[in-house]
Amino acid sequence: MEKKTPLYQWHESHGGRIVPFAGYLLPVQYETGVIAEHNAVREKAGLFDVSHMGEFVIRGKDALSNLQRIFTNDFTNMTKGRVRYTPMCNESGGVIDDMVVCKMEEERYLLVVNAANRDKDAAWIKGHLEGSASFEDISETLAQIAIQGPASPLILSAISKTIPEKYYTLVENGEAAGIPCIISRTGYTGETGFELYCKPADAEKLWDKLLEAGKNDGLIPCGLGARDTLRLEASMPLYGHEMDDTVTPFEAGLSSAVRMDKPDFIGKAALTGKEKPPRTRVGLRITGRGIAREGALILYQGKTIGKTSSGNFCPFLKEAYAMALVDSSITKPGTPVGVDVRNRIIEAEICTLPFYKKGQN
Amino acid sequence: MNFPANLKYTKSHEWVKNLDGGIVEIGITDYAQKELGDIVYVELPQIGDALKADASFANIESVKIVSEIFSPITGTVKEINAALNDAPDSINKSPYDAWLIRAEGKIPEGKLLTAEEYQAQLS
């Protein structure tokens, strides 16, 4: 039985087309459609219900040493209010999940994890905590709303005096329209934007206040469909697509979030010497006619060199793109390849990531 | 949603229009385009391809999904709507003008629904 977010009634009564996703019932789109929602985020602003995301708290004297050991990134130089992206690996160097770690206080960290991995992550972290550190899953106590797009700072500042000024920072005791919330300057769309965490009981009011504040600046509600095309266009990896527990962060192109210079972390031994893996995440621009989605084989000079991990039509760029894991010897941008889509070979070329970068066009 | 009375329909959401000379025009219904969402690519057959009733003859891709389109007719593709290559979203805008193919052949007995019958099975 899928769970409903605190905004479920709102989505249903406002034309949201509801689908099951990661154990929740969420809108895939509203009446406006995926393309209009996608372009609203690129050009103006969009509002997303991301209450399905999981939130954990790790606290205690040994909180930091546990983070250092359980995750691949380095948190030692983080100051209060900073947010940092990190993979979490198993002993063989495969990715269990990717998440953001927020430093709330010296001995207290908030982790935001993928909904589908919440139970698996909780079990793994709890099973590996050492010393004086506690773990708490607070997902049910928080709703999460993301406002994304170039107009989002303007819209949010109309109802909030506590917005973080720098990318990847947060304000814990923030407020918007008088509603207490954590406001973090983060997102998953490739645009400027914020993620607001509030009590479930306040979610609908906060959602309405944001929509009202943004109505003259083009803010519209957006569904999971646009969330996925936006993150693809910005070439952001998604767990279960670009990475899973059989893919290393190096293969997924996440080496900047893996600090091999740390004394130790789970997976380090297995990852040692694998910094240059035999397969790598690349971008593909579809130059022929068609769309390559996940799982399509990639051919180069008659040989299979890999498989697409995500792909779709990118509405803002108006071209089809895909991300793929391919043989590391064939990653030069411009290399022509074929993609097998339902037994038809579509022409494509390897291209640089990201497909879209803020401020483009 | 709109279901013109001069067209016939299939349970799998195609519409069929009788043209002169035993030719039929085939497209997808208003309901189908709405379910698919923004259409971004149409993979059409080629002129001269054989069609088999209930077999897939085209693929329509929206940002959300790829969907097979089934033939109501056993016969041959006579014409394809090449304008869809550049404007696949015309199916969203005007589903009964944006036909996919024109074909010649035999429609199995009892295969097609009236607008009323089609609408009744949607609810």
Side-chain angles (χ1 to χ4, degrees), chain B residues 24-35:
Chain B
V24 294
E25 203 171 78
I26 302 165
I28 67 164
T29 67
D30 196 11
Y31 171 84
Q33 69 78 17
K34 204 157 185 276
E35 283 295 301

Side-chain angles (χ1 to χ4, degrees), chain B:
Chain B
M1 273 184 285
N2 170 27
F3 304 103
N6 64 327
L7 303 178
K8 293 285 175 59
Y9 300 86
T10 67
K11 282 184 180 162
S12 50
H13 313 294
E14 292 85 15
W15 58 259
V16 181
K17 184 183 191 178
N18 272 309
L19 304 179
D20 292 341
I23 304 282
V24 294
E25 203 171 78
I26 302 165
I28 67 164
T29 67
D30 196 11
Y31 171 84
Q33 69 78 17
K34 204 157 185 276
E35 283 295 301
L36 283 168
D38 295 323
I39 292 167
V40 289
Y41 178 66
V42 184
E43 190 184 319
L44 292 170
Q46 292 186 337
I47 294 169
D49 279 2
L51 294 167
K52 196 165 172 283
D54 296 328
S56 162
F57 72 92
N59 285 290
I60 295 188
E61 302 212 31
S62 69
V63 280
K64 285 190 298 192
I65 200 171
V66 49
S67 184
E68 287 184 312
I69 310 303
F70 299 95
S71 178
I73 188 171
T74 297
T76 312
V77 178
K78 287 291 177 194
E79 209 179 326
I80 58 165
N81 187 0
L84 295 177
N85 289 339
D86 294 327
D89 59 337
S90 58
I91 297 173
N92 290 123
K93 290 175 186 151
S94 187
Y96 301 109
D97 296 319
W99 53 279
L100 303 174
I101 58 168
R102 289 178 176 150
E104 189 173 36
K106 194 172 179 310
I107 298 173
E109 199 76 13
K111 175 80 197 160
L112 300 180
L113 309 172
T114 64
E116 234 169 36
E117 289 165 340
Y118 175 68
Q119 234 172 318
Q121 61 126 38
L122 290 180
S123 50

Side-chain angles (χ1 to χ4, degrees), chain A residues 15-75:
Chain A
R17 195 173 298 175
I18 308 291
V19 296
F21 177 80
Y24 285 82
L25 292 171
L26 286 160
V28 66
Q29 64 166 80
Y30 299 88
E31 295 287 341
T32 39
V34 176
I35 292 179
E37 292 168 20
H38 179 112
N39 288 330
V41 173
R42 288 277 177 260
E43 290 161 352
K44 293 166 182 170
L47 201 61
F48 299 82
D49 176 11
V50 279
S51 300
H52 59 293
M53 301 295 285
E55 292 91 7
F56 303 153
V57 173
I58 295 179
R59 73 171 86 210
K61 190 163 61 64
D62 297 323
L64 177 61
S65 62
N66 276 286
L67 295 182
Q68 290 295 98
R69 193 167 30 77
I70 297 172
F71 304 108
T72 62
N73 212 333
D74 184 6
F75 309 94

